[in-house]
Structures are given as C-alpha cells and as structure tokens.
Amino acid sequence: MSQALAHEDVIIRRGRRSGLPLIVAVHSRALGPAVGGCRLRRYDTWQHGLADALRLSEAMTYKAAVAGLDFGGGKSVIALGNDTALTPQLREAALEDLGGLIASFQGSYRTGPDVGTGPEDMVVLRRFSPYAYCAPEEHGGTGNSGSPTATGVLAALRAGARQVFGDASCTGRTVVISGFGSVGSGIAAGLAAEGAHVVVSDLEASRKEAALASGYGWVEPGQALSAPADMLVPAAVGGVLNDVTVRQITARLVVGPANNQLTEERVADVLAERGIVWVPDYVASAGGIAYALSRESEGYSHEAAQKRVEDIGDTVTRILDLALSTGTTPLRAAQQIAERRLASSAVAAQAV
C-alpha cells in the first residue's frame, strides 16, 4: 500500500490566485477532526511537498493520540519552487487559496502555523475558515506557539533525565541545542534558569551574537551532534538522525521539538543499541498544539492548558517505562500507546 493510500484524504490543487501547488493531507480522523500546521517552504518539486505532507500528517495522528487529544492528524503545504520569488502579494494570494481549500473541509481539517508561516498568516486563513489556530491574541487566537512548545520539551527533558541519570534536575548538565529559533531559545532560557550549561548552534550565523550575549556556549552546526554533552536537543530541521550521525552523538539523552528527526524508523534501534535514550519528536513537541487546542477549541483557561502541556513529562515517563519493561525502543512504545488509543476509538465507533 502506498503512503498516500494510508490517508483518509489527500487533496492536491493549483491555487487559482497564486498558481502555486497546494496540498492538504488528512491521515486520520479516528479521534476527532484532523489538525496540523500549514507549511510554506521551497521544494525541488511539488512531489517533495506531497511527501512532506504525508509524513507529517501521519506524525500528527500519533502526536495527538499519545498526548490524549481528541483530534486526528493532518498537514497542509504550500509548495514553492526553488526559483519562486515570494513577494508579499504572492504570499497573501497563496494563503487565500489555501484558506478556501481549508474552508471546504468544514472543520474536519484544522490548521495552525508551521515552518514558513506564523500567527499573522492565520489571520488571512481566518477570512475563509475559523479553524486556523494561533492567530495573534488581538485577533482571538493564542499567538505564537513557541513558548508552550518549549515548555513541553523542558518537561520531556526532565522526565528523560530522571530515567537516564536518576535525577530530573538539569543542574550542572551540559545540553547542546541544535537550532536557536523561537523554540530553541525558549528551551535554552529554561535550561539555563535550572543551572544547566547550555551550548547552542544554528545555521543562521547572525544568531551567534545573541547566544553569546545570553551567556550560552556556541558550536558550529556541523559539530553540534558530536559536541560533548549529557543531553542533545534537535530544535531545527528534521532528518538529522541517520546511521552515520547517530554514531557521532556523545549525549545519553536526545529530546527535541524538530519534526521527523529520524531518516528511517530503524535508526531508533541504532540509538538504543548505543545506549542513547531518544524521546520521539512527536511526543516532545506536542506542547504547542496541546496548548492551542486546549485554549481555542476546548475552552481551557491558561492555567489548565499549561498543566496539560506540563503533563507531557508524565507521558514521556509512561513511554520510557513501557520501553524498559518490554525491552523495546521508546519509539515503538509510543506507537503502541497511540495505536491502542486509535484502536479503542475504532471499536467504540463500531459499537454505536
């Protein structure tokens, strides 16, 4: 079976206003409406954008299921060509095209910011559908999801440290963070406040000055994975963990928000063989979506939504305990938890 046929819906359309390829992939609605961010980025071909949407929407299904959210998994992609000049006019036209496509789902697919989009872009999408989360607060949304995402990663790091080092405290531990954007910088600040020795890296050389000014160490991007560390936090692009790079890692614990960190699932086995505990990315990165959905869809207060984000630590503990007791990897343990929840939902639906 092809990956596309594993999905409930895959819509590919050329935007009427923009002329750009638009893709919406819905992997599952077993637990509720599909949710997943809007990605606007450059691809060699639109087929690469489709592959991204298929892979990320499936990960969203597992992210929601493991986090205990009553939502399924989806993803939308606006695929730019490598030579396409993204003018403000083209950007708005593409978002309007996507907004119309999202509206056609009538709430069964809902979106938010992802790579290449932000809260202001959700304002454009909201002209067509109310189901665009994380718009600025003055437009009725919860704004940038970077802070709750970072909070969830910190909770996951503490839970992982408890199993690996026997102590949830990060005090005195060296942590390398690969990616110093809005989420990575939030993680760095949280760890530094706990007394960790923070070393950061980013492909944007301009961020080095800000990192050093904040008192963090700096390592060049090509050396981030192999730098001496107790914990490694992939917080930038995906696809960074493969057969070669995982053999360079010195850290005993790898936890980060970057999507699709493994190039292949079997890399999780290589990590385990090396004695490295890797917390699945879709578990560690669930804080942003958990907070936004709790506030904007389910009416939680800030405090209640924040508690839900911090509960990611309990989820990680459950996953790591299951992996340890069954002799499997954390990835497979997380998949088992998600699949049980999805299967229970399917049984319940058949009984109605």
Side-chain angles (χ1 to χ4, degrees):
M1 179 183 290
S2 73
Q3 189 179 9
L5 289 178
H7 289 62
E8 291 188 18
D9 285 311
V10 180
I11 307 297
I12 305 167
R13 180 178 299 175
R14 183 169 295 280
R16 180 176 59 83
R17 302 169 183 81
S18 65
L20 294 175
L22 312 174
I23 300 159
V24 174
V26 172
H27 179 258
S28 171
R29 299 186 184 91
L31 297 174
V35 63
C38 165
R39 178 164 289 203
L40 192 162
R41 59 163 292 187
R42 299 186 185 279
Y43 296 93
D44 292 335
T45 67
W46 67 262
Q47 289 90 340
H48 287 97
L50 172 61
D52 223 8
L54 294 174
R55 184 172 59 251
L56 292 165
S57 59
E58 182 176 13
M60 281 301 304
T61 294
Y62 283 87
K63 177 183 286 191
V66 172
L69 303 173
D70 294 326
F71 290 88
K75 206 72 177 182
S76 51
V77 167
I78 300 171
L80 291 173
N82 286 323
D83 299 324
T84 305
L86 184 61
T87 64
Q89 294 78 15
L90 180 60
R91 183 187 193 90
E92 183 161 0
L95 289 166
E96 288 179 346
D97 286 335
L98 182 63
L101 180 54
I102 291 172
S104 71
F105 282 87
Q106 299 182 317
S108 70
Y109 166 67
R110 308 175 181 192
T111 196
D114 195 72
V115 173
T117 62
E120 292 295 339
D121 297 312
M122 299 304 105
V123 177
V124 179
L125 296 180
R126 282 192 173 201
R127 297 176 193 164
F128 301 84
S129 170
Y131 300 113
Y133 300 124
C134 299
E137 291 184 22
E138 60 268 27
H139 290 278
T142 51
N144 194 308
S145 62
S147 178
T149 299
T151 297
V153 173
L154 288 168
L157 277 164
R158 296 186 198 102
R162 184 181 296 109
Q163 183 176 104
V164 174
F165 305 111
D167 184 353
S169 172
C170 296
T171 302
R173 304 204 184 280
T174 297
V175 187
V176 172
I177 303 173
S178 177
F180 195 56
S182 63
V183 178
S185 60
I187 296 168
L191 288 168
E194 293 184 23
H197 173 54
V198 177
V199 179
V200 303
S201 175
D202 199 282
L203 290 172
E204 293 288 337
S206 61
R207 291 175 175 169
K208 180 176 181 178
E209 185 177 347
L212 296 177
S214 298
Y216 309 139
W218 178 268
V219 62
E220 293 304 317
Q223 301 172 335
L225 298 186
S226 59
D230 299 304
M231 298 183 280
L232 173 66
V233 180
V237 298
V240 294
L241 302 180
N242 57 45
D243 287 330
V244 175
T245 58
V246 297
R247 299 187 189 283
Q248 302 170 358
I249 294 173
T250 62
R252 292 175 57 195
L253 176 63
V254 179
V255 182
N259 289 319
N260 295 323
Q261 294 168 23
L262 308 183
T263 54
E264 299 178 75
E265 283 194 5
R266 62 181 181 78
V267 176
D269 298 316
V270 181
L271 286 161
E273 289 165 6
R274 295 203 59 227
I276 299 170
V277 172
W278 176 74
V279 173
D281 39 39
Y282 59 79
V283 177
S285 65
I289 194 67
Y291 183 85
L293 292 175
S294 296
R295 293 294 310 279
E296 297 188 43
S297 181
E298 300 179 273
Y300 281 42
S301 66
H302 165 73
E303 292 74 18
Q306 191 77 353
K307 172 63 167 57
R308 204 173 198 181
V309 172
E310 292 167 355
D311 285 346
I312 289 173
D314 294 335
T315 301
V316 170
T317 296
R318 181 184 173 198
I319 289 168
L320 297 183
D321 285 348
L322 178 61
L324 192 63
S325 65
T326 59
T328 190
T329 65
L331 175 61
R332 187 58 197 143
Q335 290 172 336
Q336 288 173 0
I337 291 170
E339 287 162 1
R340 286 172 191 162
R341 187 159 182 249
L342 291 165
S344 296
S345 176
V347 170
Q350 291 173 359
V352 173

